[in-house]
Every structure is written in structure tokens, then in C-alpha cells.
Amino acid sequence: MKRVGLLGCGAIGSEIALAIDSGKISAKLTHIYDFSKENSKNLVDKLQNKPIITENVGLLAASPVDMIIEAASQDAVRDDILSILQNRKDVMIMSVGALLDESIFDIVIDGCRDFNKRVYLPSGAIIGLDGIRAVKDELELVTLVTTKNPKALKGAKFFETSNIDPDKITQSTVIYEGSAQEAVRLFPANINVAALLSLAGIGSEKTRVKIVADPHTDKNTHEIQAEGTFGKFSVKVENVPSPSNPKTSRLATLAAIECLRKICGTSLNIGT
Ligand SMILES: NC(=O)C1=CN([C@@H]2O[C@H](COP(=O)(O)OP(=O)(O)OC[C@H]3O[C@@H](n4cnc5c(N)ncnc54)[C@H](O)[C@@H]3O)[C@@H](O)[C@H]2O)C=CC1
Ligand SMILES: O=C([O-])CC(=O)C(=O)O
């Protein structure tokens, strides 16, 4: 049975831990780390099989696990991915936006090669990546339209330099249009899905992102519009937000759990 370590005990990390604890995933969660000690302790309290809380991320990376699940932040990926790979652990990354930084992407690719390790990027809060991967050589235009309640967008770096106040948005408003590259920097906790779309398709400069703040919605909606010589398609998902983090969709957690089940399982693999 695979031994798993967890970096980040928030909305996604906690649900993954509970799924392992319940036996839904055939793995053993042995070590966890979160820079909020309170969050780590709260999670351990909920689990039957208690993992060790490591004192720092270096000890998590060096712990006797086969794989580490990152469910923390883009900063955590930037700071810790090299040490995790050097310690010869496979990694599942949720904060995929960090990989749009070329130097981090190179660390991941070189680390996988040099240490013979695998990095997994679950499809997260979007659907349709199978189609994007299939058509990528014929893809000419791809846009992600993301709609969230302004409350779920609040706190993003974008608002530090914009004159838009998320508390004062009273109707559905397009607040951002630009490249995926820029979007993941300005909205690091909201649009990691744009990084997934870029990496599966035509890259982060050509992938366009539109972010709509709608005070009347209680969903996190992502629509991919893709067009090229193959034809065109659009796929839309209306996600229920996670109760403990409105920025994060329930689907992102479910996709991570399913991805881990596939990695840890031995039976039938369905789909791409
Ligand atoms: N790939 C995808 O489709 C999606 C990715 N995400 C991303 O996944 C990550 C986790 O999401 P949630 O669980 O909803 O976030 P959360 O905010 O609920 O939990 C994150 C946890 O990680 C901890 N943390 C943050 N930075 C850390 C660091 N450098 N070192 C140690 N601990 C750290 C925090 O204290 C918190 O407990 C976020 O980066 C989020 O933006 C979220 C939704 C979809
Ligand atoms: O969960 C979502 O709807 C998307 C999200 O926060 C992200 O991609 O960072």
C-alpha cells in the first residue's frame, strides 16, 4: 500500500485525508505538514488513523512516504517542489499555476527525469482536458470563462492594483480579460484551472482567460471554448463551492481523490 504525505491541510487536503482514512483510497496517510499548526491539528483530530505532524516541510519531504500531495499554495510549489523531488517522492500538485513559471516547470521536468519520479496534475475544477489534449495540434483559439461570486475572488492580488472593489460589485461584471499566464499570477487561488488548460493545450500566452464576478451566483462556473481546424467545442461546469473555502470547487477535491484512487489502485483504468 502506498504511503502518502500531505502538504496543506485546508479544504482539499482535509477531504483527501478523510477519503484515505475511510478506506476509499487504498493508501496510508503517514505524515502531514501545514504552516498553520492549528489546521494540521484540526485535521488529525478528525482522523481515525493519526498521521505524524512534521515540524517543517523539509521533514515532510524527507519522511518515509512514496508520494506527497500538495494542496497548499503556488508559493508552496515554488519553495518546496525541488526538495520533494530530490527526496525521491512522487508528487500530486493542486496549485498548478506555479508551473506556468518556466523555471519551476523546468525543475519539475528535470526532477522527474533525474530522480525517476512522477508528477500528477489532476483535472481539478474543470472538465474537458481529454478533448483539449486530443486536439491540441489543431487548436487555434481557446478561452476559459470563469464566473465566481465576488466573495470568492476577494483577496486576489488583482485587486491590489485595480480600482475595482469586490464588495461594491452589484451586477455580473467582467473584471479581467487576458492571458492564462497573467491570470494565474493575479488570481493565484482562483484560476489554477487556467494553468491546467494551458499545459494540456497551446500554452499560457495563447490561452485566454475571462473572469466574471457575479454577486448573484452561488456556483464556481468554468466554461472552456475551443476552436481550430478540428472543429469546435465548448464545455461548461457549474461547480458547488467547497463549504470551507468558497474559492475552491467541490469538483477539484473529487478529481484529486479520483486521481489518487487511480494511482493507488490496481484495477480498471477508465478514460484518459
Ligand atoms: N487545480 C485545481 O483545479 C484547483 C486548485 N486549487 C488550489 O489548490 C490549493 C489548495 O486549495 P484549498 O485546499 O482550497 O486551499 P485552502 O486555503 O483551504 O488550504 C490551503 C492550506 O495550505 C496551507 N498552506 C498554504 N501555503 C502553505 C505553505 N507554503 N506551506 C505549508 N502550508 C501552506 C494553509 O495554511 C491551508 O491550511 C490552492 O493553491 C488552490 O488555489 C483549488 C481549486 C482548484
Ligand atoms: O475550484 C475552482 O473553481 C477553481 C480554482 O479555485 C482554481 O483553479 O484555483
Side-chain angles (χ1 to χ4, degrees):
M1 197 182 268
K2 271 197 198 304
R3 290 158 306 168
V4 172
L6 177 64
L7 171 55
C9 305
I12 296 177
S14 296
E15 288 295 328
I16 294 174
L18 286 163
I20 294 174
D21 203 45
S22 72
K24 193 171 174 184
I25 301 171
S26 176
K28 196 167 164 20
L29 180 68
T30 59
H31 294 74
I32 64 172
Y33 174 70
D34 192 299
F35 61 21
S36 157
K37 277 223 161 107
E38 195 190 346
N39 289 4
S40 317
K41 284 192 179 131
N42 286 343
L43 175 56
V44 169
D45 285 348
K46 290 186 206 151
L47 301 173
Q48 299 277 343
N49 303 296
K50 311 277 185 207
I52 293 165
I53 301 176
T54 66
E55 271 305 309
N56 56 52
V57 71
L59 290 173
L60 177 72
S63 65
V65 298
D66 304 300
M67 171 172 200
I68 289 183
I69 298 164
E70 177 283 320
S73 61
Q74 289 187 26
D75 284 345
V77 177
R78 275 185 210 103
D79 295 344
D80 306 325
I81 190 70
L82 180 58
S83 139
I84 293 171
L85 289 169
Q86 279 176 335
N87 276 281
R88 293 180 157 71
K89 314 298 182 203
D90 290 332
V91 196
M92 180 193 281
I93 296 178
M94 294 309 294
S95 308
V96 189
L99 302 192
L100 295 191
D101 176 336
E102 224 173 286
S103 60
I104 304 299
F105 185 80
D106 289 347
I107 286 174
V108 168
I109 297 299
D110 294 350
C112 287
R113 189 200 51 224
D114 294 349
F115 305 113
N116 196 21
K117 289 291 116 195
R118 282 172 184 259
V119 170
Y120 299 92
L121 310 179
S123 53
I126 49 173
I127 54 170
L129 287 181
D130 52 346
I132 293 290
R133 280 169 51 198
V135 304
K136 72 165 179 275
D137 291 339
E138 300 187 10
L139 194 56
E140 287 162 351
L141 289 171
V142 59
T143 305
L144 174 70
V145 183
T146 289
T147 305
K148 291 191 181 185
N149 191 289
K151 288 194 196 104
L153 297 164
K154 224 172 144 174
K157 281 188 189 131
F158 169 81
F159 296 108
E160 290 169 15
T161 50
S162 148
N163 50 20
I164 299 171
D165 178 347
D167 289 326
K168 298 208 169 115
I169 296 174
T170 54
Q171 58 187 12
S172 178
T173 309
V174 177
I175 59 163
Y176 175 80
E177 278 190 275
S179 67
Q181 177 71 33
E182 184 185 53
V184 301
R185 198 169 46 73
L186 294 176
F187 298 89
N190 272 294
I191 200 88
N192 288 284
V193 285
L196 285 166
L197 183 58
S198 305
L199 294 168
I202 54 176
S204 60
E205 290 297 348
K206 286 193 191 148
T207 301
R208 309 310 294 167
V209 173
K210 193 190 271 196
I211 298 179
V212 183
D214 182 352
H216 306 298
T217 188
D218 60 355
K219 301 285 188 306
N220 292 338
T221 300
H222 302 289
E223 181 174 4
I224 297 171
Q225 299 162 346
E227 211 174 317
T229 48
F230 70 92
K232 62 179 173 180
F233 68 78
S234 63
V235 275
K236 181 173 171 180
V237 57
E238 292 180 33
N239 287 315
V240 171
S242 152
S244 56
N245 183 357
K247 295 176 169 35
T248 288
S249 299
R250 176 80 185 134
L251 176 61
T253 302
L254 297 176
I257 290 173
E258 186 52 25
C259 181
L260 191 57
R261 252 162 52 84
K262 195 166 159 178
I263 295 164
C264 296
T266 49
S267 53
L268 205 61
N269 280 333
I270 304 168
T272 50

